[in-house]
Amino acid sequence: MWRRLVEPMGLLFGQMAQAAIQQGVALPLQNSTAAFTTVLLIDGDKVSGPMPVGAVPNTWLPVVQRLVSPVLDAGLPSGPLVMGILNTTPDSFSCAGQHLQAENAVHAGRQMVHDGAGLLDIGGESTRPGAQVISPQQEWERVAPVLEGLRHTLPDVPLSVDTRNSLVMERALAAGARVINDVSALEHDPDALPLLADKDCGVVLMHMRGTPQTMQEHTHYTDVACDVVRELGQRVDAAVAAGIARGRLMVDPGFGFAKTSEQNTALLRRILLLANLGCRVVCALSRKRMIGALTGVTDPAQRDSGTVAASLVALPFGNPLLRVHNVAAMAQGVRVWQGVYGA
């Protein structure tokens, strides 16, 4: 199914986009105020185009329809959402240990919501390259008090739990989490797919090869953007086949996971290829090594400006989740982008 992909190009926004759609020279891009006027047709390793949308052969129209059809919100508020990161780990690549105490994490979460976060993502296991492996029980002991504290103090704010372990997933959902964010796209734990098939939460499938300990050994791609979309498409198919409704699914291309800095940059440049999957998109670039490679900034905590600039590339989707450490900066960036490019 994923051999054929269509890459949207020639974007227009707001009133200009609407006028071009009415004139028949552009097509709407999913849930956004954007429209695309040209496309690349990708069949395996053969690429045709760029060509105007009106010149697309009839046999490709079902594939083009993937880009046009609105995607469901996965049970979350519509529109762009800033997703605040709350890592309750001592060894994360950025802000390590800052939220290890539950009280500190809850306070930080409240501040993130005040600053504009639409949801919070709580993680208890570091998945950076070479991270130390911990047990699911240890992970849950870190997550549980933070989840309980945020549920009590922010009852209306959606909470996500970043985990690849079914034990943590089940307990987190019972404690009020509304999203499960799995860096392994539900491959790590064989009990994860059947567990989530019986729930109604949102599910983030992230692209990664190997494990956090081995992923940097798996960075060979023929075409990183197409390969990532096709491999994520297979995980979407597996989730749907297991009984998870497509409308509950979100996809994350996995910046920094089994990818070099150059590959991350190439993937971001072509991020709109993810529209082929028909799922809400999560863009998780915050403070990552690729930002440092592009800017020369070695301290991850000083990469927030680059994070905002890179994350805005995903806004043409209309309803992306932008997963960041600095919520205030990202929320401000989104407001400016919407003011310039919105309807």
Side-chain angles (χ1 to χ4, degrees), residues 45-92:
D45 58 2
K46 180 181 177 182
V47 180
S48 302
M51 68 178 65
V53 293
V56 174
N58 288 339
T59 55
W60 279 84
L61 294 182
V63 188
V64 174
Q65 189 60 35
R66 298 177 192 161
L67 311 183
V68 176
S69 300
V71 302
L72 298 180
D73 288 328
L76 296 171
S78 60
L81 287 181
V82 179
M83 185 182 206
I85 299 171
L86 283 173
N87 285 326
T88 65
T89 58
D91 56 344
S92 296

